Amino acid sequence: MGKKGLVVLVLILCVGLLLTGCPKKTVMKEEPSTRKAEEAVAEREKAAKLAAEQEAARIREEEAKKAKEKEFEKSLVAKREPGIAGEVFESRLLKDIHFDFDRYDIRPEDTQILKENAALLSKYPQVKVQVEGHCDERGTNEYNLALERGEPVRRKNISSP
């Protein structure tokens, strides 16, 4: 074999290497659609869980509100004498205030009580309120009526937020 045979052999080897080349590496790729689908499912589950928690919180809040309403309703006790607008109920949740002798202005310590009463009544806008005043035996009926103690209470309750 001479030079010619050696050249043919080298050419055959080169052509063989070119045709077969280096073996391709197998790359294991995760299918993007599979990963996106899993992420979407996880996101939906997370959103559903959040929605369920919010719904449960809303239901608990409604139940608490109903319980407070029932507490207010349970606190109502019918009075024996009728009021201006028919049957009158008293509630232990509404607190009394007191006036100093011979005075009609609201004492500073009673201002907070009126605010609490106003806050309670603002939760129940359907409730009608009858403001009453009671006097002791000092002074005549005319004198006690002239003090008009109910008016400052009414003004204070109307101005309370």
Side-chain angles (χ1 to χ4, degrees):
M1 263 204 190
K3 272 182 161 181
K4 200 174 187 181
L6 188 60
V7 172
V8 171
L9 183 63
V10 170
L11 278 174
I12 291 176
L13 284 175
C14 286
V15 170
L17 280 174
L18 281 175
L19 290 178
T20 59
C22 298
K24 293 186 177 183
K25 294 180 183 177
T26 310
V27 178
M28 296 297 282
K29 279 190 181 180
E30 194 174 312
E31 288 293 321
S33 61
T34 305
R35 186 172 23 159
K36 286 182 183 178
E38 289 173 356
E39 288 175 357
V41 168
E43 190 66 32
R44 279 189 297 241
E45 289 174 355
K46 191 175 183 182
K49 184 177 178 183
L50 180 63
E53 289 173 357
Q54 289 174 341
E55 180 67 18
R58 185 187 62 78
I59 290 171
R60 283 192 302 270
E61 192 174 299
E62 285 180 6
E63 288 173 353
K65 185 177 178 181
K66 287 179 183 176
K68 284 183 179 181
E69 286 178 9
K70 287 182 181 180
E71 178 186 3
F72 182 70
E73 290 171 3
K74 287 179 183 178
S75 75
L76 296 175
V77 177
K79 288 181 70 173
R80 294 176 195 243
E81 61 273 357
I84 295 171
E87 189 175 17
V88 175
F89 294 93
E90 288 184 340
S91 173
R92 61 180 164 71
L93 299 177
L94 293 171
K95 299 178 181 94
D96 294 336
I97 64 165
H98 300 92
F99 292 90
D100 290 327
F101 178 70
D102 205 25
R103 307 291 298 181
Y104 64 85
D105 35 337
I106 298 170
R107 299 185 305 185
E109 58 268 19
D110 288 332
T111 302
Q112 183 60 34
I113 293 173
L114 285 175
K115 285 182 181 178
E116 291 171 6
N117 287 346
L120 177 67
L121 292 172
S122 69
K123 293 178 185 175
Y124 306 97
Q126 74 279 5
V127 174
K128 293 181 182 179
V129 178
Q130 177 174 313
V131 177
E132 295 179 340
H134 301 279
C135 303
D136 58 20
E137 64 278 349
R138 294 177 282 187
T140 63
N141 286 340
E142 293 79 20
Y143 171 77
N144 286 326
L145 288 173
L147 286 174
E148 294 183 354
R149 291 175 168 166
E151 186 59 29
V153 172
R154 186 185 71 80
R155 280 195 311 265
K156 188 73 169 177
N157 277 330
I158 289 173
S159 67
S160 293

